[in-house]
Amino acid sequence: MRVPFLAANWKMNMGRQAARELVQGLMETCAQVEGREMAICPPFHLLADIEKLVEGRPQVYLGAQDMYWQDSGAFTGEISAPMLLDVGCRVVIIGHSERRAMFGETDETCAKKVAAAVKHQLIPILCVGESLEEREQGLTEKVVTSQLHGALDGLEISDGRQLIIAYEPIWAIGTGKTDTPQAANETMQTLRQTLAQIFNEEIAQGVRLLYGGSVKPENIAGFMATSDIDGALVGGASLKPSFAQIVNY
Ligand code: PGA
């Protein structure tokens, strides 16, 4: 019932020409795949170009990497949900660990952003994950559960498809190290139980849970073979044509 979701997080990479070539190629190599969905989350300056390239393909979602919770006003440097909708976005990454670590993102700001996205019918991809130190202290479940409560308590949704969660152990992002599919799946089960407490069991069963952290064509199948991992949020490996192999796992 949960359609696999493979999302590309380009971070602060790519120019217009390279982006066009990459997306054109991906549309040929993977946009026709049945029974799964993909997302491309480029930097803001590429959204309008990519919107044209993915137009008419409902299984390909255009996404942003962040947004502000107000609709408009004197917020220099920010972008809003209505603006992202205007350029064709359907998803938005919220609370990526790089934003939490470098740009002051907190559970409180994530909560406001998630609520604003949902209000405007943008699907938030809320990111959670523990640091290496927390992992070594056996705090993974505690950290991710508290991040979920912090960003989602009080949120009203009626369907699990309105929300996506990405579990990204921070020590696995961009390092070439990955969690094992078994360990990641256990964390996903904890996340799903927490979602059932916050919302209800039916909604929790519909929310897609993505694994992120050094996902590559060689390791995606192992994650997708588990019971509770429904997709991936991919950084480095999404900048190459071989991202198609991840979508076509
Ligand atoms: P990575 O990044 O695939 O390069 O590890 C994942 C992410 O930060 O979303």
Side-chain angles (χ1 to χ4, degrees), residues 9 11 96 98 168 172-174 213-215 233-236:
N9 173 13
K11 309 193 180 186
H96 189 279
E98 286 151 17
E168 303 199 299
I173 296 178
S214 299
V215 171
L233 182 58
V234 186

Side-chain angles (χ1 to χ4, degrees), residues 2 21 44 77 110 117 125 129 132 176 192 208 226 239 248:
R2 296 186 298 267
E21 284 167 20
F44 298 123
C110 288
I125 303 178
L132 183 58
R192 209 177 290 288
R208 284 177 287 186
T226 63
L239 295 167
N248 295 327

Side-chain angles (χ1 to χ4, degrees), residues 204-225:
Q205 289 300 329
V207 174
R208 284 177 287 186
L209 305 180
L210 316 183
Y211 169 78
S214 299
V215 171
K216 295 186 177 57
E218 302 79 55
N219 60 26
I220 181 68
F223 291 108
M224 296 309 293

Side-chain angles (χ1 to χ4, degrees), residues 48-77:
D49 285 354
I50 298 179
E51 182 196 19
K52 294 196 193 84
L53 299 175
V54 304
E55 211 174 1
R57 300 177 194 267
Q59 74 282 25
V60 183
Y61 289 64
L62 183 61
Q65 298 173 17
D66 186 28
M67 57 165 251
Y68 194 54
W69 57 82
Q70 299 278 3
D71 288 357
S72 64
F75 304 104
T76 301

Side-chain angles (χ1 to χ4, degrees), residues 6 29 41 58 78-79 87-88 93 105 118 134 136-137 147-148 178-179 197 200 209 231 243:
L6 293 307
T29 48
C41 304
E78 294 296 325
I79 195 158
V87 74
I93 299 171
E105 196 81 79
V118 167
E134 290 162 341
E136 284 168 348
Q137 290 172 7
Q147 286 172 327
L148 274 197
T178 58
D179 209 351
Q197 285 163 12
N200 61 46
L209 305 180
F243 179 62

